[in-house]
Amino acid sequence: MATSTEENELNLTQMWEQAQIRFEQKTKKSLKRTKIRNLDEAIELLNQKLEAQDSETNSKWHQVKASVTNVLKFIELLGGIAAQGASMVFGPATMCFNAIQFLMDIPAKISKFYDDIGQLFEEISNFRMQFKIFHRMEQFTKIDLSLRKCTHQIMIAFVDICAISIDYLNPSKLKQFFNATKIALFDDDSGIHVKLEEFRRLIEYQSRISDGLTLESALKSETGIEQLKESSKISRQLIEENSEELRATHDDVKDVKEVVTKEAKERSSINEHAEQIKRIHDKLDIALDRDLDPEREFKQIRPDRLPDTGEWLKEIDQYRHWIDLDSNAHVLLFLSGSNGSGKSNLLSAMIDEQRNMYSNREAGSKRVVISCFGFERKDKSAREGKNARQSIHALKLMATQIASQDIVYAKFLAMHLKNKGISFSQEMTANDLIQELFLPPKMDSKPDMAYMLLLDGLDQLVPEEASQLINALRSLKASNFRVAVTVTNTNPESLKVSQEELDLIPTIRVEDHNESDIKRYIENKLNAYEDLNSEDPSILRIANHVRDKLPRVASGNFDNVQQIIAKVQKAVSNDEDIAAIQGLVSKDQLENKELAAERIVEELNESLNPQEIEQLNELLIWTVYGCEYMSVDEMRAALLLRTKRVPLQKLENKIREKYAKIVKTRPEDDQDVIYMRNDEIAEFLQRTQRSNKGRESDVGSDPKISMTIRFENVRLSQARRFVWKLNEKMTFDGLDFNAPNIEEEARTMIDANPADAYLTLTRRCLAILLDNQKNDALGRYAILYLPNHLQELREQVDISLEEKIEIVDDLISVLQSPDRIDRDLSDEYLKSRAWHNVEVFHAWLTDSEATKTLKRRDRDWLSSVVSGNRMLILENIATMIARHWLCRTTWSPEDVYEWINEFLDRAQADQTRPQGPEIGQSGEATKNSAENFRGVETEDAESDSSRKSSGEKESLNPTERIQRALEWAEQKADITGKNSLWYERVGGTYLSAGIYDLSKESFLEAKSLPNPSWRTFEGLAKAHSKSDKDKVLALQEMEIALATLGAKQELTKDERASLVVNLRMAAAWQCDLGNNADAIHKLREAIKFDSRTYQSHDMLLRLYVRTERQPEALDFLKHLGNQPASNEEGLTDLGSMFLEYSSWYRPLSFFRAIFQAVQDDHWSATILETLENTLQVLKKQKADDEIVKLLLCHGVALARYGTTEKGLETAVSQWTKCYKLGIKSADLSAAESGRRAVDFIFNYHFTNARATLDATDDLQIHSAKLEDLMNDIDALSKDNNPVTLLNVDGLRFAHGSFYRLAGDKEKAKMLLLDQMKSGLDLLSDDDPENDSWGYSHVANVLAHAGDDLNALSAWSLRGPSERYTKGGEAMRDGSASESQEQFVNTGNHSHGLLATEHAEAEYLGLSCDGQCGIRLTWSDSLWFCKVCEDVQFEDSCFTKLKKGTLQRFVCSADHDFLRVPSWRDEFRATGKDHVRVGGEFIDGQRVGGEVVHVNTWLDSIRKQWSIEKPAKEISENAGPEAF
């Protein structure tokens, strides 16, 4: 058995072997080849090198020699220590000498070489002087093992430094190219800085060891003791000098840790909710990427909607009764009106009104969740085909909207749908879905919640579907639902609902009440036209005439207003007679919209030539009927499919000059997108019928003409004579095809009827997929939307048999040739699952008339796929995708696996469907089709499959699902021989599913096989990190991945992105291990490969600050500030980084590292100037959301660095702009920034007001500012803003504190009364889960009102969890009494004496706002601010706040605070259902008091605040469920 010494020697040997391997990999040279045996030989070699140089370089060598000689002596010393002080120098020193020899052997032709070598050895020589044992070698007769080990590590680090220097100074041609921009060895991330840092760290560590050994030696002699005393005195002085700096470093480390911890928690909560939403989407068969925001139309309306739109609704009794959520009003409300009456605007205003009411709701009022959908929406990608299922799609989307806003609803809905089959909703009616989704069956209706469903354009549905939806909505039984629906009319025939049923639904006719909106719109239009906005008496006369008469002429229709004012404006521009102009304001001047659309089309028919009309027809087909609005480039590609030639004139010019009456373009995402000029023209085209001409072959198709002459009962002579005459006619006279009306019949007309349109779109998609060339512009569209257009075409009744046959032929070709689809495959297709709904394919393929002319091969294939499991239709495509999953790296394994998984789920669900008749043959097709899906369910399961529901079949866990997919793929994809790539892809699949152990096994198998890729090592690194939490192993594998990627001659875009992400990941792991220098090196590498995304910059900057490298951080910022940005004129790279920050969520957290790095440096002026320049760029770009976020940061920078006396006032000015702009933003991040700005402004005025409490005039000024701010925020929050995050509760708390400090406690209580009611309401409902929040809310109110003792009582009831679980029963009587006595008599605490280790470590759920990163538990105490809302600190951060050293810009040292003791101590003192009250404050702690029942204390609070007890009586002995 090996001894401990032998094991240690073995470890040292292994360390040197690894060092030799690294050296050889870097330099291609071996350290084992002995050249220099001792110091004398090394110095002799140095002299020889010196003599061999010319005069110029010789002088440089003389400068270098001294440093090199010192280092050589240093190496000899280290070798002696490593050899236990023996006189003979052993191997490690020789290896170091050899490393120096290789470094000297580099052929140096430039003087820069000597500069670099000199600087390198000078650095090492400086470190040598810190090597304490170098001066005290004689004190040691035996070297301690830890000191020996550290010495070996120092020598190895020296060898590594030499290797990096050799590699850098003698590079290959490729590396010369990449290093061409480097200035010197120490100027970039060559690796020298990192290794020198490691060298220094090891020497410092050695010094600590040698100090310990010196102490041991010194204690043995008086001389040693005296030396020790002197050393202790010097050390104490150094500690005192540097203690504050060390504390600051410690604080910074905690700051960063808290940021990471808090962000990780937020991400975890967000990810959990997002995962629930994803599961709901999957179960409801809604593709996430195709489901655009259902509110998009209303958001587009919002900017153009005038203020106070729909205010008249509040005056109508029907609406007031319906909107009263506590009334027994009918669940439905109809808003009826003609097109143009403003129904959509009205619905948009209702959405904002309800959200504002929730944001400022009074205590006890309901929270309202809004869900909306428009059947006339313009985001055509949501179209699921006109298959009488749009109402089902709408209900599904609205359910997901509610789930995204209500976490509880999302949780219950996800649980309810968990065991549902994939296709459970496919055959459901609207009424069925109402019962399933609104609310989920196991979710109880909560009295404090209400749900409002708003649907726009109900009559756009087919009548039968509209009727079904109305009846379904009427069936909503939950009292907390309200549904508003807009319709053009409420005719029983159009809606297929009886008059009796309609009479029961309250209906408001919009045109009868919207006169105030019409007048406002008229005023807006008059102001918009310059010709009508003048002080000229004639113009004023015309404008006043319009104001007076037009509201009556318009009859509640905004389109009528637009028509009349446009005519008036044109007449004014033409300087027509005033009387004539006034005569235009008449109903006689109103043109029917349908007639106007018809007139425009006819005018274009007259003005355009046939080629232009053909082009316009194609354009209209895609714009009106396509599933997405097309860009100009995409439309150009579509036109090329039709005409087969590139047009001479640019399409954008045609649209602007010739087609402007009917279409228009709008810039979106750096491209011009084509839209219809107005909806009326689109509706006119959709109403047109297909003509006989439309049945002819499409212009884009190849013409085919054939003729057959048949003779029956004709003599041969007669037949011969007929042929002769026909030939003579053709030869001499020709055939006359003229007809009397040829010009009229041949005339090309604008025609985009639905039948021709859907036929054209289907043909185009099939042609794109069957083309031999990839269509970059339209391939994505074709593969995504072919099923949609097949469905739409299927519903057209006037499609000819020949056209159906053509479609079926091409469709079979596509389904049989997956390689064509492979060419246009995209991650969007894989995620959309667009083809999994095979019903539309099945319908076309089972059309007996369309399939009767198929070739034999096609008939055989068709028979095999449609007579059994319908998913067999996609089997060829699924097989191709399976190969992508396991044999290629084009797409992520997660996306491809999910496609296969759903394919198998649907195949399994289809197993129980009654099989249809076979096509074309009667063989074993059905049996064979079942065999094709053997493995979807096991044979044992088949015997009772009929008894299983689809939900039961789906109960496979993630591991079983992956195994099922692997078995199927191996069988179908014919994968022979599992190579490294196969295991790599499987490992990636397990990794994405969170099955880390199996992921690690797969990656290890991939690693063991030949030719593993860098992805294998990357995946294995991630698996180690997740499975074992072993960052060391993870880093080892990641280093191999990085090295493999770095060795490639050229990197693809994706590889470069992966390299950067992996470098950042490795840096994070190095930080976790405390290897900050290595982390810095990795981040520098990441920046080198990607200098424009700035995530690596941010991580590096934070790391610099955290590790007390302020000079390096400042140099890094200065470097960015001195480099002109390549992507934005007028900015530096620093400004470009600020520009990027402005698009991130909560950018202030990223600026914090910059503020800490700069501190009081004069360079802070550059930060301010760069921020100002960046703001100017954003203003030019009109990027309001980004401006909001940067204004917040600019204000904080001004508050920190402002050099003028007006610095703080300027900061307040910027914050004011920030919140006023932010409150109007629909962007959550911008709105939140606005909210933060309000806090900063309030703190500014609060601090000034408090500082001037004795100065009456100044106090009134700042008090007035506080009042104005409160009033301003109240007004803004009620002003129909799209997102109202300016919750005034926080400001009310702060304002209440101000009145308390000013001595007016009653006014403070009145201001906070509603907040107290809200908190008590939470404690009075039937939901125990919100009690903890209720007590926190009550505690906040009491603290801000100045009732500190009761605030402590409320805080104590927030936890621990035993208060609300059965685990707390044991504490009720026995153990509690002793603790109660202890508190009452002494007021002392007993931290952690009775609790278990697990309970003590239970997380509190609150975090310190100093961002120290300490994980707070129920055993901790906290300082709560009595001015800010929800701001608390642990002890060390509180101390820093008071001293002014807290780095985070939060709260203020002049605020009042309440110290809340350990929750667990309080619980031991009181037991369950009881609370300590009364007592007195001594030194900031409560002493004395009594323990009472919680209900008794709550009653006393209600009495003090004059709040009535709720009607539901709760006895004093009620159990915990009452709370």
Side-chain angles (χ1 to χ4, degrees), residues 129-141:
M129 303 307 296
Q130 302 171 22
F131 197 71
K132 295 184 178 180
I133 197 170
F134 184 76
H135 306 288
R136 304 195 302 271
M137 188 69 190
E138 70 281 354
Q139 298 179 14
F140 301 96
T141 58

Side-chain angles (χ1 to χ4, degrees), residues 77-114:
L77 169 68
L78 293 176
I81 297 173
Q84 287 281 338
S87 60
M88 181 183 68
V89 178
F90 89 125
T94 301
M95 293 185 193
C96 292
F97 289 147
N98 287 342
I100 295 177
Q101 167 66 21
F102 289 132
L103 184 57
M104 293 178 181
D105 284 344
I106 296 175
K109 296 182 180 179
I110 53 174
S111 60
K112 173 181 170 294
F113 169 82
Y114 303 103

Side-chain angles (χ1 to χ4, degrees), residues 1149-1161:
S1149 63
F1150 304 106
F1151 273 97
R1152 190 170 295 120
I1154 296 173
F1155 297 152
Q1156 291 178 22
V1158 175
Q1159 294 183 348
D1160 297 328
D1161 189 274

